[in-house]
Amino acid sequence: KRAPFIVHRIDRDTTGLVVVAKTERAQDALKEQFLAREPARIYLAVVHGCPEPASGNWQDVLAWDRASMLQRVSDEDDEFARDAECNYRTVEKFRGAALIEVRLVTGKRNQIRVQAGVRGHPLVGEKKYTYDHKPAVDIPFGRQALHAYQLEFRHPTDNRALTFEAPLPQDFDLLLKRLRLERGRPARSG
């Protein structure tokens, strides 16, 4: 008996939706959709600072570095380089942070974490892709604040449009509540 195949995965310590195919036929049909970049993949992330402009498009060339086990920004000459693109918009601003919605165009390993980090907006709780960014406000969180919120794709056998949403996990929800409370308080002096 064949094991289920993960068609859409998420990073370790990221929460939210994944897609698993139960049959080989479903796997092939879903893989085709993802390779053609048809499914809508929407994430929510809390980042340090607030991206400017408030919405836009991030395009980079990324390559997986097997030695360091990290994704890195590269150039087209690298044989392992792949285009990485997403659209983002700021949903809510806080003191020292922002909640953003990210719609993937491509889907590379650690893509959102890298693209936000290289622009000076690492995810709250990010350990790997900070690029030595020193946040203006310390915001403790036990993992990267990234949640695979919504997926839209066609059913692999009958072609029906499907939309799935994953509610925010408790830790992410509590982080947002804490940031909303802090937003209303005067800044603390050092």
Side-chain angles (χ1 to χ4, degrees):
K1 184 176 176 182
R2 183 182 162 283
F5 179 80
I6 296 177
V7 179
H8 172 264
R9 68 184 68 227
I10 55 178
D11 296 344
R12 177 179 294 145
D13 294 330
T14 295
T15 56
L17 297 164
V18 295
V19 177
V20 179
K22 288 172 47 177
T23 67
E24 191 170 349
R25 181 174 166 227
Q27 171 191 336
D28 292 342
L30 289 167
K31 278 176 67 175
E32 282 181 31
Q33 288 181 53
F34 279 90
L35 286 172
R37 300 179 180 172
E38 293 173 13
R41 294 163 290 170
I42 302 170
Y43 288 72
L44 294 174
V46 179
V47 297
H48 287 283
C50 190
E52 288 296 329
S55 64
N57 177 271
W58 290 337
Q59 293 184 5
D60 295 288
V61 177
L62 303 180
W64 181 251
D65 185 332
R66 292 171 193 235
S68 67
M69 297 298 288
L70 294 171
Q71 193 73 267
R72 61 180 167 74
V73 177
S74 187
D75 57 49
E76 292 86 7
D77 296 335
D78 185 325
E79 68 177 299
F80 300 108
R82 301 290 179 264
D83 289 333
E85 182 179 359
C86 68
N87 299 303
Y88 72 92
R89 74 176 181 90
T90 302
V91 175
E92 192 172 354
K93 293 181 182 182
F94 309 106
R95 186 163 19 119
L99 172 65
I100 64 171
E101 177 187 275
V102 180
R103 291 176 176 263
L104 289 178
V105 175
T106 61
K108 305 300 173 239
R109 186 184 306 184
N110 308 146
Q111 177 180 329
I112 296 169
R113 297 166 61 197
V114 172
Q115 290 189 295
V118 298
R119 287 165 176 81
H121 301 289
L123 276 60
V124 167
E126 178 64 61
K127 305 285 188 274
K128 292 182 180 180
Y129 299 107
T130 61
Y131 302 94
D132 296 324
H133 173 75
K134 303 292 183 235
V137 176
D138 182 38
I139 305 171
F141 194 61
R143 61 180 181 85
Q144 69 266 6
L146 184 60
H147 179 67
Y149 170 66
Q150 189 177 77
L151 274 173
E152 298 174 9
F153 56 91
R154 290 178 288 106
H155 190 282
T157 56
D158 66 19
N159 227 20
R160 279 180 296 137
L162 301 173
T163 300
F164 298 94
E165 288 185 3
L168 291 176
Q170 185 177 18
D171 65 342
F172 201 110
D173 189 48
L174 289 172
L175 170 64
L176 292 176
K177 287 176 180 171
R178 191 173 81 224
L179 291 170
R180 288 173 184 133
L181 278 173
E182 286 292 317
R183 179 175 53 202
R185 295 184 183 147
R188 293 182 220 131
S189 56

